[in-house]
Amino acid sequence: MCKHDFMHAEMMEPNCSLSHIVRVSPAVPGSLGAALQAAEARTCLVLEEGVFIEPNPLLVAKQGISISSASKSTLVVSNFDDTNAGSLIRIVARDVVIKNIQFEILVDNAASDQSNKDKGCMGQSCLAICADSDAEIVECSFTAKRGYGVEICDSSTPKIVDCDVNNCTCGIIVKDRASPLVRGSKLHHCRDACIKLAGVSTGVVEDNTIENSFEAGVVACGRSTSTVKNNILRNTTGCGFLLLEASRVICLNNTVGGKHINGLQAGEDSDITFQSNTIEGSEGSGIVVHDSARGFFFGNEVKGTKMAGVGVRDNAQPIMSGNIITGGSGSGVVLVGSAGGVFTANTVSGNKCAGVGLKGHTDALFEGNIIKNNDGYGVWLQDDVRGTFQGNVIEGNKMAGMSVNHRAAPNVRSNTIKDGQQVGLLLQNEADGVYCHNTISCNLAANVLLMGSSKCTMSENTIMRSPGGGVLIRGQAYCKLLRNNIEGNSRANFAVLDQARPYAEGNIIQDGDGRGIVVTGTSRGHFKGNMILGHGLAGMYVGGDAEPRVEMNVICSSGASGLVVEDNARGRFIDNCFAGNECAAVAVQGNAAPSMERNTVVHGGRGGIWLGEQANGQIENNYVEEEQLAWRICPTVRAKVCTKTEPLDKLVDRLDTAKGMFRQCGSQITKMVVVEGLSDCEMMLGTSCGVSEGNSVELCKGKATMMEDCWPGEDQLPETTLPIF
């Protein structure tokens, strides 16, 4: 069989091994049909330039037939009107070659088209390749305004190369068990799809230009496993790719651009492999996965979409890794409904709304992603969302790095949330969840803000260097803070306001240029076994009508008092240790009425427990270092006071005993040493402590850089709406 480039008969004759070479003239209607009927196997039909009008369908049923023309203007047209007619030309034989011919169905017969669809027939098509044909179709064009340009069916394995398929209902349809190669062709101006992959078809569609369709550039349905690669799709109006039913196509290195709604839409039970594609300028979303669709999405770039870069809804469960979603007018990645999936190592940046948004009952894994420089939130969660976020970097977003709202309760582990222009981690409404081993730092308004009736567990996080503060708990929020390192935040490292009631145990709260812990409003809370070290102002401040329980904490090296209780505050303060504070270790004033007992106070003569103004309460059975200024009590004080002092050596024994209690409640104290021989006494904590020259104490934790700002007021709190696709 000869499958060379056919230019004209004279050039073919010396090289062609076909049995016959027959010239066919267009002068008589039906001449090509007659030639095909008369031709023997392995005949080469050379069409003269002109228009071949065929009143009946053409059938190529003999092996080795080739049809070619020396002129690109040679046209074969049909003028038959028969609902059973099928195709202009149908190939059922093997080793067939057609080159350099235009095919067109002239009759615009909508009734015929609908009748064939109702019967389940193939409908009118310019070319149908059936049976087990392996025909080669080269440099041809096909036009069928009410049908298919090329229909590939049965078990055929044809090659469609460098062709032009245009102005069809569907450009190319591949179905049954067909496995074609469609390469280097231009498929355009099709009413529905430029190419449709159906049945259990396989094959390869590569290096084509697919444009100006109405429904989609490429539609995959049935259980097709075809490969679509290196194509350019543009101006496909609806979708670049549309996946339906249980299709399993593979799409590699394609580009989707121009005017379209969604770059890729995968629905029903489809399961695509979508790798290294570029989608740009979608008027809807770049990628939409819905219904029960799944799929693997690797190394794609989605940019400049009008709505969500990636939208996942219903019960879809995609796996997305290593994708770049950037520059969209909406959010980067949005999940709604009961969607889930796995999202790893993606970069979501520069979007106008949230980087990642989840709502409804979604539950997905986000791991190792970079979510940065979005104009909205880094991550927004609402409704009844669950899910796991671990190992992500969330940075430089204009609103909260992570905002958890309504009844959402995620598992948030080992993430970095930093350099945001608002709050790092924000919980509102009745939000819940577990937050552990995260680093939350350098967020402008505050690192952590808990509001409303939110509740959560925060453990073993590092929360540091915010100019607005470390952890702020407001409203009626409740949370457990366990073994966190809260350090180097301006204003206050940890503040509790309104009616909030946290439980804080075993935390290291240190090195702030403001206060360590602030408890005010009508808040409550339980603070146990924390290390509160090295603050510029008071280690702990309790004011307003607050009433906390404070026990077994270490409060030392404050730039002012260790503990200040004032206004109308109350509360119970037991078994705490105070040392090395610049002013009185404990100051109670205003109308405060605390209960204080079994506290150990090492003050080196700078002030032990001082009571002023109208202070009330019960101050008994405390252990205060026997030095000058151990007690100072104003005449107006109404508290019940037992002014007991003890020598330093006895206090050392008490501190040694207290160390075991601190360990039991989760404190990270490993060493407690009282250093004598200085002008005053200091208590040193940590695994490696040393005394520097002079009177200061060097603690095991390093110093952080401080910045100045304030807590966000109510008017600075973020919006609670999330634009979605």
Side-chain angles (χ1 to χ4, degrees):
M1 172 65 193
C2 179
K3 295 188 179 181
H4 301 294
D5 289 340
F6 304 121
M7 296 301 295
H8 47 76
E10 290 77 8
M11 292 180 62
M12 289 171 52
E13 288 177 6
N15 300 316
C16 190
S17 60
L18 301 178
S19 300
H20 300 90
I21 297 174
V22 177
R23 296 177 182 276
V24 184
S25 169
V28 179
S31 58
L32 178 55
L36 283 170
Q37 190 173 6
E40 298 177 0
R42 305 183 63 77
T43 295
C44 179
L45 302 180
V46 179
L47 307 189
E48 295 179 356
E49 184 177 357
V51 178
F52 289 78
I53 299 175
E54 297 299 321
N56 298 300
L58 305 174
L59 177 64
V60 181
K62 296 175 183 177
Q63 183 177 359
I65 296 293
S66 69
I67 306 171
S68 66
S69 174
S71 172
K72 291 185 177 295
S73 61
T74 298
L75 175 64
V76 179
V77 300
S78 70
N79 65 352
F80 49 83
D81 181 10
D82 183 350
T83 58
N84 295 312
S87 308
L88 170 56
I89 180 168
R90 185 179 185 189
I91 303 172
V92 297
R94 294 183 63 80
D95 298 331
V96 173
V97 176
I98 300 178
K99 181 177 173 65
N100 203 32
I101 299 172
Q102 300 180 53
F103 294 89
E104 183 174 353
I105 297 177
L106 288 180
V107 177
D108 188 3
N109 191 330
S112 172
D113 183 46
Q114 187 59 51
S115 175
N116 278 296
K117 288 182 179 179
D118 293 342
K119 294 177 182 178
C121 301
M122 63 179 65
Q124 286 189 322
S125 56
C126 278
L127 170 65
I129 304 173
C130 309
D132 64 345
S133 175
D134 61 349
E136 292 190 11
I137 313 300
V138 183
E139 296 180 4
C140 295
S141 73
F142 302 92
T143 303
K145 292 182 179 179
R146 288 283 181 177
Y148 304 121
V150 178
E151 184 170 9
I152 304 170
C153 57
D154 298 334
S155 299
S156 59
T157 57
K159 295 180 177 63
I160 312 296
V161 181
D162 296 333
C163 292
D164 187 301
V165 183
N166 64 86
N167 290 291
C168 305
T169 299
C170 177
I172 297 175
I173 182 168
V174 184
K175 59 184 185 178
D176 301 328
R177 297 171 301 281
S179 182
L181 169 66
V182 181
R183 176 188 291 160
S185 297
K186 185 175 182 180
L187 317 177
H188 59 103
H189 293 93
C190 296
R191 191 178 69 193
D192 293 339
C194 286
I195 185 165
K196 186 174 184 179
L197 308 169
V200 291
S201 60
T202 57
V204 177
V205 179
E206 64 180 2
D207 299 319
N208 303 285
T209 298
I210 300 171
E211 60 185 344
N212 296 310
S213 61
F214 181 76
E215 180 183 8
V218 177
V219 173
C221 55
R223 299 188 64 85
S224 177
T225 56
S226 301
T227 297
V228 184
K229 61 181 182 178
N230 301 326
N231 301 283
I232 297 173
L233 289 76
R234 57 180 175 236
N235 298 323
T236 54
T237 308
C239 301
F241 293 92
L242 177 60
L243 274 71
L244 304 168
E245 299 174 348
S247 54
R248 303 288 190 272
V249 296
I250 300 169
C251 298
L252 308 172
N253 298 303
N254 302 285
T255 299
V256 181
K259 185 177 181 180
H260 63 279
I261 296 175
N262 297 323
L264 164 70
Q265 183 171 325
E268 299 184 353
D269 194 37
S270 60
D271 191 358
I272 189 175
T273 298
F274 197 71
Q275 183 173 355
S276 301
N277 302 281
T278 299
I279 299 173
E280 184 171 6
S282 303
E283 295 184 5
S285 296
I287 296 173
V288 175
V289 189
H290 62 104
D291 297 331
S292 297
R294 297 173 301 284
F296 297 87
F297 300 80
F298 299 128
N300 303 288
E301 185 172 4
V302 178
K303 52 188 177 180
T305 60
K306 293 288 182 63
M307 301 183 77
V310 173
V312 185
R313 64 175 187 255
D314 305 325
N315 295 294
Q317 298 276 340
I319 296 174
M320 296 193 171
S321 181
N323 303 286
I324 297 173
I325 302 104
T326 186
S329 298
S331 298
V333 178
V334 174
L335 278 66
V336 300
S338 297
V342 177
F343 300 78
T344 63
N346 302 288
T347 298
V348 185
S349 66
N351 299 287
K352 294 295 183 183
C353 296
V356 173
L358 280 70
K359 64 182 298 186
H361 291 83
T362 55
D363 188 347
L365 169 63
F366 283 79
E367 182 173 5
N369 303 284
I370 297 173
I371 304 167
K372 65 178 182 179
N373 300 333
N374 297 286
D375 287 352
Y377 302 94
V379 176
W380 169 275
L381 312 178
Q382 70 176 68
D383 300 330
D384 297 287
V385 165
R386 297 295 183 265
T388 298
F389 293 78
Q390 60 187 35
N392 303 287
V393 176
I394 304 169
E395 62 177 321
N397 299 286
K398 288 190 177 179
M399 300 186 76
M402 174 174 269
S403 180
V404 187
N405 307 275
H406 301 158
R407 298 161 302 281
N411 190 338
V412 180
R413 297 174 178 270
S414 302
N415 302 280
T416 298
I417 305 174
K418 65 178 182 178
D419 298 331
Q421 298 184 33
Q422 200 195 58
V423 177
L425 173 64
L426 169 66
L427 271 68
Q428 301 185 92
N429 312 121
E430 299 174 18
D432 202 342
V434 175
Y435 306 79
C436 61
H437 301 289
N438 302 288
T439 299
I440 307 173
S441 66
C442 301
N443 296 285
L444 189 62
N447 275 323
V448 177
L449 173 58
L450 311 179
M451 299 175 57
S453 299
S454 60
K455 52 189 181 294
C456 66
T457 298
M458 299 188 66
S459 63
E460 300 181 81
N461 301 284
T462 298
I463 301 167
M464 61 184 182
R465 297 198 301 274
S466 169
V471 177
L472 171 60
I473 306 178
R474 303 198 62 172
Q476 296 178 330
Y478 170 78
C479 70
K480 292 181 180 179
L481 281 84
L482 308 174
R483 301 179 301 281
N484 300 284
N485 188 5
I486 306 171
E487 65 175 83
N489 299 283
S490 294
R491 303 292 292 178
N493 265 323
F494 184 8
V496 183
L497 286 71
D498 306 326
Q499 296 88 42
R501 46 192 178 90
Y503 179 83
E505 181 177 343
N507 302 283
I508 297 176
I509 302 167
Q510 65 176 350
D511 296 341
D513 62 356
R515 291 165 172 154
I517 298 178
V518 173
V519 185
T520 188
T522 58
S523 59
R524 299 292 186 267
H526 191 172
F527 303 83
K528 182 178 180 181
N530 303 287
M531 295 172 58
I532 306 165
L533 317 173
H535 292 90
L537 299 176
M540 185 171 192
Y541 172 88
V542 182
D545 292 295
E547 190 174 351
R549 180 182 177 91
V550 181
E551 63 176 316
M552 296 197 308
N553 301 281
V554 172
I555 303 175
C556 70
S557 302
S558 304
S561 293
L563 170 65
V564 175
V565 186
E566 65 178 13
D567 301 330
N568 297 304
R570 294 175 301 282
R572 192 172 183 198
F573 302 80
I574 56 176
D575 294 318
N576 301 287
C577 295
F578 300 88
N581 300 289
E582 290 296 322
C583 299
V586 177
V588 183
Q589 55 200 29
N591 292 298
S595 172
M596 303 186 68
E597 58 182 320
R598 298 197 306 273
N599 299 286
T600 300
V601 180
V602 179
H603 61 93
R606 287 174 296 197
I609 297 179
W610 288 7
L611 309 176
E613 299 179 338
Q614 304 295 318
N616 206 334
Q618 186 169 320
I619 318 294
E620 295 182 314
N621 299 320
N622 298 284
Y623 312 109
V624 182
E625 181 186 359
E626 194 174 67
E627 277 280 355
Q628 61 180 348
L629 304 179
W631 290 89
R632 176 177 288 182
I633 303 174
C634 291
T636 55
V637 168
R638 296 172 294 164
K640 182 179 179 181
V641 182
C642 176
T643 57
K644 183 178 181 180
T645 60
E646 290 191 355
L648 186 61
D649 56 350
K650 287 190 177 181
L651 294 184
V652 172
D653 293 337
R654 294 192 186 281
L655 292 173
D656 203 37
T657 302
K659 181 171 64 176
M661 292 192 299
F662 294 137
R663 284 180 175 173
Q664 288 177 11
C665 70
S667 176
Q668 301 182 45
I669 295 174
T670 58
K671 186 176 182 181
M672 300 178 69
V673 181
V674 174
V675 181
E676 299 184 71
L678 301 176
S679 60
D680 47 29
C681 296
E682 305 279 2
M683 183 165 65
M684 294 163 30
L685 311 168
T687 56
S688 59
C689 302
V691 180
S692 61
E693 294 182 3
N695 301 327
S696 63
V697 173
E698 182 179 327
L699 301 176
C700 61
K701 297 293 179 180
K703 302 295 181 181
T705 302
M706 300 299 147
M707 297 169 283
E708 294 182 359
D709 208 319
C710 60
W711 291 103
E714 293 288 347
D715 58 339
Q716 295 174 270
L717 297 177
E719 298 287 339
T720 57
T721 57
L722 170 66
I724 62 169
F725 67 102

